[in-house]
Amino acid sequence: MKSSPLAAAVLAGAVLGLAAVTGCSAPTTNAGSLAATPSATAPAGCPTAASLRLPKDFPASLPMPDGALVTSVERRSGERLVVAMVVRSGFDRTLAFLQKQLPEAGYTLREGEVEEDDAESNFSSATFDGRWTLRKTSDCGGGVYLTYLTAPAT
């Protein structure tokens, strides 16, 4: 039986999609340092439920973008806390917020990078170390996924 180019393209797309879904998820526990990226991928779809509450041990001084909808809270070893959220103000505005507001709140940004669809940076203060990641999404009407990973300063 002769295969068509369309069938081959569909099969290749399915294989790549499956590889992305199964091979890119972050482990739920990570015994390493803050160097691990909080979340390698963004969840599919746009959240419709109410925002989760921030845990009491989330740094009160860490700036939160207006309208951020907290979608998950995860505790990891070493008193690390991962808080994921959707921000509807878009990639550029959220990035500018992080780059301006964290230093104004007393956090030093370091070891960061900005690419077309994502950005990330480590940050620290006298009391907390952390990392934020920002990811564009095509399925949330201009919303972006922001993840904060925090831990007490060492």
Side-chain angles (χ1 to χ4, degrees):
M1 174 180 227
K2 194 173 191 181
S3 66
S4 71
L6 177 61
V10 170
L11 179 60
V15 169
L16 289 174
L18 183 58
V21 169
T22 60
C24 293
S25 61
T28 56
T29 58
N30 183 351
S33 69
L34 287 174
T37 299
S39 177
T41 60
C46 224
T48 56
S51 179
L52 299 174
R53 290 183 181 209
L54 287 172
K56 290 182 181 185
D57 53 341
F58 185 80
S61 61
L62 193 56
M64 292 288 287
D66 287 338
L69 180 71
V70 176
T71 58
S72 70
V73 174
E74 177 186 340
R75 297 190 182 285
R76 294 186 179 175
S77 63
E79 297 182 68
R80 292 178 301 155
L81 179 65
V82 179
V83 175
M85 63 199 78
V86 171
V87 180
R88 306 235 187 226
S89 57
F91 185 83
D92 293 337
R93 288 186 76 193
T94 305
L95 177 62
F97 171 89
L98 293 166
Q99 291 175 330
K100 181 176 190 253
Q101 295 299 319
L102 269 74
E104 287 183 4
Y107 291 89
T108 301
L109 300 177
R110 57 185 175 19
E111 300 171 1
E113 69 176 8
V114 177
E115 297 177 359
E116 184 177 343
D117 294 333
D118 63 70
E120 55 203 33
S121 178
N122 292 334
F123 59 86
S124 61
S125 71
T127 54
F128 288 96
D129 292 326
R131 182 169 184 81
W132 59 258
T133 62
L134 185 63
R135 308 270 185 257
K136 282 185 180 179
T137 177
S138 61
D139 59 356
C140 196
V144 292
Y145 293 103
L146 170 62
T147 305
Y148 277 131
L149 168 69
T150 60
T154 54

